[in-house]
Every structure is written in structure tokens, then in C-alpha cells.
Amino acid sequence: MHDFQYRNGVLYAEAVPVTDIADQYGTPTYVYSRQTLEHNYLEYTQALQGHDARVCYAVKANSNIAVLNVLARLGAGFDIVSVGELERVLLAGGQAKQVVFSGVGKQTHEMQRALEVGIHCFNIESTAELERLQQVASDMDRCAAISIRVNPDVDVRTHPYIATGMKENKFGISMAQVDSVYTHASKLSHINIIGVDCHIGSQLTEIGPYLDALQRLLELIDRLQDQGIAIRHLDLGGGLGVRYADETPPSIADFIAQLLQLLNGRPLQLVLEPGRSICANAGILLTRVEYLKTNEKKHFAIVDSGMNDLLRPALYSAWQRIIPVRNDIAGITRCYDIVGPICETGDFMAKQRQLVLNAGDILAIQQAGAYGFAMASNYNSRNRAAEVMVDDSQAHLVRQRETLEQQWAHEQLLPHE
Ligand SMILES: *Cc1c(COP(=O)(O)O)cnc(C)c1O
């Protein structure tokens, strides 16, 4: 379910023709649907109704403050991986006490700020990090609430760059070591153990690995209980997949139902950190065809968005659906590679798509709301795209297109000889 649909041959975002957005704000432009964002978030909270649970949106998937604000208004918690994300959450009206802090490389200043504003929990990924947090908290005379991120070593079938819960990954602490790390943590003066945590990967389309991970975490919780370490919450991370092509991920409701069944009424708060499943289908990227080009082997459509705007195809060979914003245009269907303007062979949006195209046409790259703008860069000195959020019949500019001056505002020439 999402709110980008054709009406009379034109693609709409909710009640706004996206052609109007392209006319007004130009291309490339990310367009988000408030309604879709809310729908996805509420699917989580509704499925969890009646259970002690916390849905902490993973900010890294899309950190625009308007996106965060829409979710904060619904009472969302947030999963952050840097102090920058923490400040965005606060700026957007999120509650510090609803924030969990993940990531393998938290720096001292980031821990300080998180303690100062009073976040809910640190997800600890190594003994060295635990020692650092103990030191920082003790210097500030605060107590840091923690979970330890376990690497449950479950096999997930996803792209190797986004599989995080196997032994060869840098994330978390292995099952073999985690019990002793908890024992150690329980002896630290400024550390308060409250949970266990894992995050096994992203774009997971099967429930099996989650259930395996949950089972292993429950066994750990039982062992800790025997040692006198009481666990209040179980954080299963994010990672639920979405449909880009023909994937068949479980619905959010099915996913939650199966987790709750395995939890079987245990007095534990369930924490989830969904990113992609909340915002992926709530966004599209509008891009214009600059040129058509044909050689002996191929038809190319050269568009005005590149890997600096949308990195997923280049980074993960990701497939995202591309549709014309007008689907009533007559012409010859050809098989196109849709490529960007950047000087890299990896700079493609899509390969081998059957489309009717003319120069000047506008295309919509779907499921672009997650890991789209968030991964944008200035490579090739290109300005980052504009972002627009549609709310029913209103289109709000939520980030201006960057200007050239903004690109080099922080650069400096060497002094004169
Ligand atoms: C990236 C990440 C998430 C979100 O993953 P999605 O696949 O976007 O749901 C959640 N938790 C942690 C620790 C992450 O690194």
C-alpha cells in the first residue's frame, strides 16, 4: 500500500500530480507521502497494541527532519547511530527518552551528549565501548542504561553488504562472549543493564532468521536471569524487507504476530528499529530524461539523477522500479539502460527496462524513500536534490535544492604567496 497512483494517465502523490512538483521544484527531486509514512508506522503500533513495545524508527534510512517530525507526532521512538542523528531527532520534536543509540563507533562527545539529554538506552557493541561509556558516565556522574548487541550468528539471505548478524560481520558481540561481557557490565558502577539487542540485517524477506535470533536472545535472557541479571527489554533491531521487484516479505502485521507468538507473554518490552519498512515506499525520486542515445548494442536513457542522488543501484546492484509520470504517451517500447551523468560505469539507475521514452520525459524511481537522499553526496560537484513532502493536496518543500555556493561554502584557498 502506498499513495503514489495514476489518475487519468498522470502519477499522483496523494492528491498532487507529481508533474506539478517537477514543474515547480525541478528535478531530480525526492517526493515523500506523509500518509504512506504514517500508514507504515501505524501498522507497527497497531500490530503491537496491548503489548509493552517501543517502535524506534531507524533515522539513517531517511533523516529529513520533516520525516522525523511526522513520526515524532505519532509518538515514535528513534534509533540513532550518531550525534548528528540525535540532534535531528530533537530538532524534529522527538523525545530523548525514546531514543536508542546503536553503532559500533560511538565517540566520547557523542556519548556525552546522549547522556546529557537522557536517551533511553545505548546499544553496546564491544567491551572497549562499554569501558568508554563507563568512564564517560562516571565523569559526568550519570548512569548509562545499556543493552548489549549480540551477534546471534544467524544466516540471513540478503545482500552481503547489509547482512550484519553473522560471525564475519563487525557488528555486535558473539554468543560465545556475550555472557561474560554482561557479567562484566553488571559490575561497572555507572552502567545499568536494561536490555539485550540484535540487528541481523536489512531487506530481510523471511521471518525465519528473526525467529532464530529471537530464540537465541530469549535463551540468553534466561541464562542472565540465573546469574541475577534482570533484563527488561528485548530489541530485535530493524531490517524487515520491502517489495522492490517481486520479493514477498511478510506484512508488518504478520511479522509482529509471529514475534509475539514466540515471546509468549513474557514480561519483556519488545523494541523494534524499523527503517526501510517505514519509509521506502513512502518516497519516489523524480528524474528527467536529458538524452536518448543508441549504439550497436544498447539504448541508453541519460537522466539527470545519478549515483550521487541514489546510490543503491551502484552500491548493491539494487533494483528499483521506474515508471513514467505520464503513462498515456504513445511511442515505441524499447529496452533501455537508465544511466546518470556521472563519470563512472557504475552510475546507473536501472538496466534493461522496457519503456516508451522521449527526451524531456519525467520518470519516477519508486521505493526511493529509504537509503535514497540519506546516502546522497556531492560527487562530481553536483548539488544534492530537493525534497518535497506531500500531505493530501499540499506539496511542502522540506529541503531546498542545494546551491553551488553551499557546496563549497566551507572550503578555503591556500594563503597568497
Ligand atoms: C540500519 C539499521 C536499522 C534499520 O534497518 P532497516 O533495514 O532500514 O529496517 C536498525 N537498527 C540498526 C542497528 C541498524 O544499523
Side-chain angles (χ1 to χ4, degrees), residues 256-269:
I256 301 287
Q258 297 219 34
L259 297 183
L260 291 176
Q261 195 180 3
L262 190 54
L263 269 177
N264 194 22
R266 281 187 186 232
L268 282 170
Q269 181 178 63

Side-chain angles (χ1 to χ4, degrees), residues 147-159:
S147 288
I148 291 177
R149 176 166 173 182
V150 185
N151 182 332
D153 195 29
V154 293
D155 195 4
V156 295
R157 267 180 273 151
T158 187
H159 191 282

Side-chain angles (χ1 to χ4, degrees), residues 79-389:
D79 169 49
I80 60 162
V81 294
S82 72
V83 74
E85 289 189 352
L86 175 57
E87 299 298 351
R88 281 178 177 273
V89 166
L90 299 175
L91 193 64
Q95 301 288 316
K97 63 179 191 302
Q98 297 247 64
V99 167
V100 298
F101 194 168
S102 301
V104 293
K106 300 175 198 78
Q107 297 176 32
T108 298
H109 73 100
E110 297 181 304
M111 291 174 171
Q112 284 166 339
R113 180 66 177 148
L115 283 168
E116 182 179 283
V117 300
I119 66 163
H120 176 62
C121 187
F122 290 85
N123 291 336
I124 294 295
E125 302 222 16
S126 65
T127 308
E129 185 194 351
L130 181 64
E131 303 290 352
R132 173 92 66 98
L133 184 59
Q134 155 69 14
Q135 188 61 52
V136 172
S138 122
D139 289 348
M140 292 174 70
D141 201 20
R142 297 272 169 109
C143 198
I146 67 149
S147 288
I148 291 177
R149 176 166 173 182
V150 185
N151 182 332
D153 195 29
V154 293
D155 195 4
V156 295
R157 267 180 273 151
T158 187
H159 191 282
Y161 288 9
I162 50 178
T164 55
M166 293 189 281
K167 279 205 184 94
E168 47 271 62
N169 304 130
K170 70 180 173 183
F171 299 100
I173 294 176
S174 70
M175 268 297 173
Q177 299 174 320
V178 72
D179 294 67
S180 65
V181 179
Y182 267 106
T183 308
H184 177 56
S186 72
K187 295 178 182 141
L188 297 175
S189 56
H190 291 71
I191 296 291
N192 177 24
I193 298 170
I194 63 169
V196 299
D197 169 52
C198 72
H199 168 73
I200 56 176
S202 198
Q203 184 53 14
L204 305 187
T205 54
E206 295 170 349
I207 295 184
Y210 281 105
L211 298 178
D212 291 347
L214 177 53
Q215 188 60 48
R216 286 176 201 189
L217 261 53
L218 290 174
E219 287 161 16
L220 170 64
I221 288 172
D222 289 341
R223 292 199 302 274
L224 294 172
Q225 181 80 46
D226 292 343
Q227 278 191 54
I229 298 174
I231 297 297
R232 295 208 298 273
H233 86 223
L234 188 160
D235 182 341
L236 258 191
L240 183 62
V242 301
R243 188 180 179 111
Y244 288 104
D246 53 3
E247 301 93 333
T248 51
S251 70
I252 292 168
D254 277 355
F255 169 66
I256 301 287
Q258 297 219 34
L259 297 183
L260 291 176
Q261 195 180 3
L262 190 54
L263 269 177
N264 194 22
R266 281 187 186 232
L268 282 170
Q269 181 178 63
L270 179 62
V271 180
L272 295 170
E273 304 169 350
R276 188 189 312 268
S277 52
I278 288 187
C279 58
N281 70 351
I284 59 173
L285 173 60
L286 296 179
T287 184
R288 185 181 300 268
V289 178
E290 290 282 350
Y291 301 107
L292 297 179
K293 170 170 167 175
T294 298
N295 67 17
E296 296 76 8
K297 289 200 96 146
K298 275 193 166 175
H299 299 290
F300 295 97
I302 301 161
V303 296
D304 66 2
S305 66
M307 63 191 282
N308 73 299
D309 301 299
L310 180 67
L311 185 59
R312 298 187 65 257
L315 185 61
Y316 314 119
S317 302
W319 191 100
Q320 293 183 223
R321 191 174 302 282
I322 301 190
I323 58 176
V325 302
R326 300 199 67 99
N327 71 352
D328 55 359
I329 294 180
I332 303 164
T333 301
R334 291 203 171 89
C335 183
Y336 288 99
D337 280 8
I338 316 284
V339 300
I342 289 182
C343 304
E344 296 274 350
T345 302
D347 180 37
F348 60 89
M349 302 283 101
K351 292 192 167 166
Q352 301 193 335
R353 300 299 172 85
Q354 300 287 334
L355 289 163
V356 178
L357 290 183
N358 295 292
D361 286 357
I362 295 172
L363 302 174
I365 305 178
Q366 294 191 287
Q367 281 82 40
Y371 306 104
F373 189 93
M375 287 180 156
S377 76
N378 291 120
Y379 189 37
N380 278 210
S381 290
R382 286 165 49 80
N383 292 330
R384 280 176 294 173
E387 294 174 283
V388 168
M389 178 146 0

